[in-house]
Amino acid sequence: MIQFSQVSKRYATGYDALKNINFTLENGEMAFLTGHSGAGKSTLLKLIALIERPSRGQAVVNHKNLARVTRRQVPIFRRTLGIVFQDYKLLHDRTVFDNVALPLVVAGMEHREIGKRVRAALEKVSLLNKERAHPITLSGGEQQRVSIARAVVGKPSLLLADEPTGNLDTQLAEEILDIFLDFHHHGTTVLIATHDTHLLARARKRVLQLDHGELARDNGARA
Amino acid sequence: MKRIVTYFARHAQALVGTVGGLARTPLTSLMTIAVIGIALALPAAMWVGIDNAMKLSNGWEGPGRISLFLKRDLSDNAAQKLAEKIRRRNDIAKVDFISREQAFEEFKRNSGLGETLENFERNPLPAVLVVHPTSEASQAQTLERLVRELRQRDEVDIAQLDLEWVKRLQAWLGLAQRTVVILGGLLAIAVLLIVGNTIRLAVMNRRDEIEVSKLVGATNAFIRRPFLYTGLIQGTAGAVLAWILVQSSLWLLSGPVRELTQLYGSGFRGVGLDMSSSVILLLAGAGLGWAGARLAVGRHLHAIEPK
Ligand SMILES: Nc1ncnc2c1ncn2[C@@H]1O[C@H](COP(=O)(O)OP(=O)(O)OP(=O)(O)O)[C@@H](O)[C@H]1O
Ligand SMILES: [Mg+2]
């Protein structure tokens, strides 16, 4: 599903955020991306989502060589991904329902189908009763769950999450983890960037550890 | 078939969303529409005014008329002979002879200066032949040739084509019309800039929405759509406002204009924007709105890339 070979990222400031990264994530696999703050976790996820482009090396995602995806093709490519952002990126002048529906509206899905899918996604994150609320009236954890619902509503084949449990207490964090595990069991490939060692221990999945932009440890695939 | 339906469904969706968005910022939208309306009404009203003046002057043209002022030492007899000679030409329908005596009497009667004029020892007026060409010979060019010919006769002092002032007026009107076209072009650019600026602000206000939409897979076309509709709706609404402004100003002017034309003994009735001019005005507004939005959105959309 994801294949990085000798990928480096140097920002316009001249800072090397990622250096010579090599790894492969199989279809349906689940893995965590960890490391200190500033290690390059978010940068790596941004390369996968084509928010940033690699400076060097080759990245293949979902059988697509990212270097060959043109500007015009980026939107279609992104529709195959579900992304949970570190800062949620919710729209505060729209209801929870409309926020979650956005990826489907953008893809031109039919009205009735959208309603069904959005409610199913909200049910998974236990927010069905908040569908008419505005994100600003929700707690941090609830907002995070809205952004998860938006990431999964399009049934993506690859789910990326950047600190999806950053603002949650242990119990909520575990509930969220269970949601990701559930998607993983249904065949979705999942890559989660996190600091949360408790989460790593509980999930017992593959861990890729970044240190100052280098891949310091990769404990390989574990079932 | 299904794709066509989805296509229209998406546009309808964007349109509904746009109307909702405009309703959310009514003051800004109304201001923009008002400015567009005035910018379009100005050239449209001037155009209608000139158009009316042209119609009026055409009505006055009639079959041309040539006045020949004869030399003062010419006898009535010689004048009659000349009249007869001209009358025999086949491009002339009728020639009226006004003798010096008649001319003087008429002038005394009409001017109200009768008493004073008694003091003139000599009649200062020349005899006049009023020449009416046939309607076939009434085109501007033929008339002018005819005038030139008549002017060359020894008996004739001055030959005057009564049309000349009408032609001069029409030349002025033509110039005015050209000016309106240039002014209209400038105001069209102004409308483009107004719409462009409104759209630029709208794009900036919805920065977050655009960024997030791009992140979840929105194409540029999808993001552009509501802004294009905003431009289209504002341009069209501006054109409708311009139409109302022009028609109501004409309605306000119609009374005085009727009095004026009646004083000149003309049954002329002013016309407003006809069907085709109205359609052109509407299309111009809609087109300018759309184009202004397209230019602005194209320039500013690229600047917003998710980080
Ligand atoms: N747009 C950018 N321009 C320049 N430098 C950047 C940019 N984005 C990130 N960086 C730098 O790259 C490094 C890695 O950033 P990144 O966001 O990937 O870290 P991270 O591992 O996600 O950290 P955190 O755990 O705090 O989220 C940081 O030092 C950061 O300052
Ligand atoms: Mg980060």
Side-chain angles (χ1 to χ4, degrees):
Chain A
M1 178 56 78
I2 302 176
Q3 193 175 7
F4 269 47
S5 29
Q6 301 179 329
V7 172
S8 299
K9 174 64 187 178
R10 172 176 292 185
Y11 280 112
T13 54
Y15 185 83
D16 288 308
L18 290 175
K19 299 166 198 160
N20 199 28
I21 303 291
N22 292 287
F23 75 93
T24 302
L25 194 66
E26 295 301 333
N27 209 347
E29 203 180 344
M30 178 165 177
F32 288 89
L33 195 58
T34 184
H36 60 90
S37 179
K41 303 183 292 296
S42 297
T43 301
L44 196 149
L45 295 184
K46 283 177 187 171
L47 291 183
I48 296 172
L50 277 173
I51 297 167
E52 296 285 352
R53 297 267 187 178
S55 325
R56 254 158 201 248
Q58 191 187 46
V60 178
V61 176
N62 217 349
H63 310 296
K64 283 226 160 61
N65 183 344
L66 295 190
R68 297 227 190 89
V69 179
T70 64
R71 263 180 96 104
R72 284 182 66 90
Q73 295 166 339
V74 166
I76 307 301
F77 169 78
R78 284 194 185 136
R79 288 177 198 173
T80 64
L81 311 179
I83 314 172
V84 181
F85 299 95
Q86 197 163 0
D87 55 354
Y88 320 147
K89 295 202 188 296
L90 298 179
L91 297 175
H92 291 285
D93 58 345
R94 301 206 184 178
T95 62
V96 166
F97 182 97
D98 289 342
N99 267 283
V100 175
L102 192 62
L104 306 181
V105 172
V106 150
M109 189 179 278
E110 213 186 315
H111 202 68
R112 236 174 309 140
E113 182 70 12
I114 290 178
K116 263 190 275 174
R117 292 250 213 139
V118 170
R119 290 201 180 86
L122 282 174
E123 190 165 13
K124 278 213 184 77
V125 296
S126 320
L127 276 180
L128 205 45
N129 56 334
K130 300 276 188 187
E131 97 181 60
R132 299 259 139 252
H134 283 260
I136 205 90
T137 66
L138 302 181
S139 73
E142 285 170 329
Q143 292 188 29
Q144 198 134 35
R145 282 186 280 155
V146 174
S147 85
I148 292 171
R150 186 183 61 195
V152 302
V153 75
K155 299 187 179 158
S157 50
L158 173 59
L159 192 53
L160 304 173
D162 200 350
E163 305 285 357
T165 58
N167 279 310
L168 308 181
D169 60 36
T170 321
Q171 195 204 329
L172 261 176
E174 284 176 5
E175 276 179 37
I176 296 292
L177 178 63
D178 288 341
I179 294 172
F180 285 114
L181 284 170
D182 188 41
F183 274 96
H184 167 54
H185 291 314
H186 282 88
T188 309
T189 312
V190 183
L191 182 59
I192 302 171
T194 184
H195 283 114
D196 191 341
T197 47
H198 178 79
L199 213 61
L200 300 182
R202 193 182 141 88
R204 306 204 308 119
K205 294 285 176 199
R206 180 180 176 187
V207 176
L208 302 161
Q209 188 172 0
L210 288 173
D211 185 0
H212 294 98
E214 290 180 76
L215 189 54
R217 193 168 67 96
D218 177 1
N219 64 359
R222 261 201 281 163
Chain B
M1 186 60 204
K2 182 135 188 279
R3 290 183 61 169
I4 296 171
V5 172
T6 342
Y7 177 83
F8 280 110
R10 278 192 213 177
H11 276 272
Q13 215 172 27
L15 192 59
V16 169
T18 306
V19 174
L22 288 174
R24 245 178 284 144
T25 54
L27 205 63
T28 325
S29 309
L30 287 179
M31 290 283 276
T32 308
I33 291 168
V35 175
I36 297 171
I38 292 166
L40 291 176
L42 227 67
M46 290 170 75
W47 185 267
V48 169
I50 293 168
D51 197 38
N52 275 319
M54 285 208 156
K55 287 210 173 77
L56 195 59
S57 68
N58 277 337
W60 276 337
E61 192 173 36
R65 220 175 63 173
I66 302 166
S67 301
L68 299 179
F69 298 92
L70 304 180
K71 295 215 168 110
R72 227 155 307 180
D73 52 10
L74 201 71
S75 68
D76 278 1
N77 223 336
Q80 290 276 21
K81 261 193 204 131
L82 178 63
E84 198 51 47
K85 226 182 273 171
I86 295 174
R87 206 170 280 139
R88 251 177 274 140
R89 294 177 59 125
N90 52 12
D91 52 354
I92 301 300
K94 196 170 99 173
V95 179
D96 292 329
F97 171 61
I98 302 170
S99 69
R100 298 185 58 192
E101 242 5 86
Q102 282 171 323
F104 196 42
E105 286 303 317
E106 197 173 319
F107 184 63
K108 273 198 273 193
R109 224 180 309 121
N110 288 347
S111 64
L113 295 174
E115 306 275 310
T116 328
L117 290 174
E118 297 294 351
N119 298 334
F120 272 88
E121 282 175 21
R122 281 184 39 194
N123 175 359
L125 296 178
V128 180
L129 294 185
V130 181
V131 179
H132 300 267
T134 59
S135 49
E136 294 87 63
S138 285
Q139 291 91 358
Q141 278 187 337
T142 8
L143 280 180
E144 284 196 37
R145 201 173 333 117
L146 188 57
V147 170
R148 241 179 289 128
E149 264 181 60
L150 294 174
R151 187 175 287 147
Q152 276 162 10
R153 288 182 171 275
D154 288 338
E155 301 94 327
V156 175
D157 189 13
I158 301 170
Q160 191 178 311
L161 184 58
D162 285 355
L163 274 181
E164 252 157 25
W165 74 271
V166 174
K167 275 172 56 192
R168 240 175 267 147
L169 175 66
Q170 282 181 342
W172 278 109
L173 289 175
L175 183 66
Q177 216 164 23
R178 184 69 59 89
T179 314
V180 171
V181 169
I182 294 168
L183 186 75
L186 290 176
L187 286 167
I189 293 173
V191 170
L192 279 183
L193 294 177
I194 296 159
V195 174
N197 194 47
T198 316
I199 297 299
R200 184 181 62 83
L201 290 177
V203 169
M204 292 306 161
N205 279 337
R206 295 172 68 180
R207 230 194 145 84
D208 291 345
E209 192 178 332
I210 293 170
E211 190 192 327
V212 174
S213 299
K214 281 192 175 185
L215 282 173
V216 299
T219 58
N220 278 340
F222 178 90
I223 294 170
R224 235 183 269 134
R225 216 170 284 147
F227 295 110
L228 296 185
Y229 276 122
T230 305
L232 184 72
I233 291 173
Q234 288 182 342
T236 311
V240 170
L241 179 63
W243 189 88
I244 294 171
L245 287 175
V246 171
Q247 297 294 58
S248 50
S249 329
L250 287 175
W251 182 75
L252 285 176
L253 289 177
S254 66
V257 165
R258 200 174 313 128
E259 270 173 40
L260 199 62
T261 48
Q262 262 162 10
L263 281 180
Y264 279 88
S266 156
F268 176 77
R269 290 188 52 108
V271 291
L273 286 163
D274 58 14
M275 191 64 188
S276 64
S277 313
S278 303
V279 170
I280 289 172
L281 179 61
L282 220 60
L283 288 180
L288 287 172
W290 178 277
R294 185 70 186 76
L295 288 174
V297 98
R299 278 193 38 214
H300 298 288
L301 212 56
H302 278 298
I304 304 176
E305 276 300 329
K307 285 271 156 351

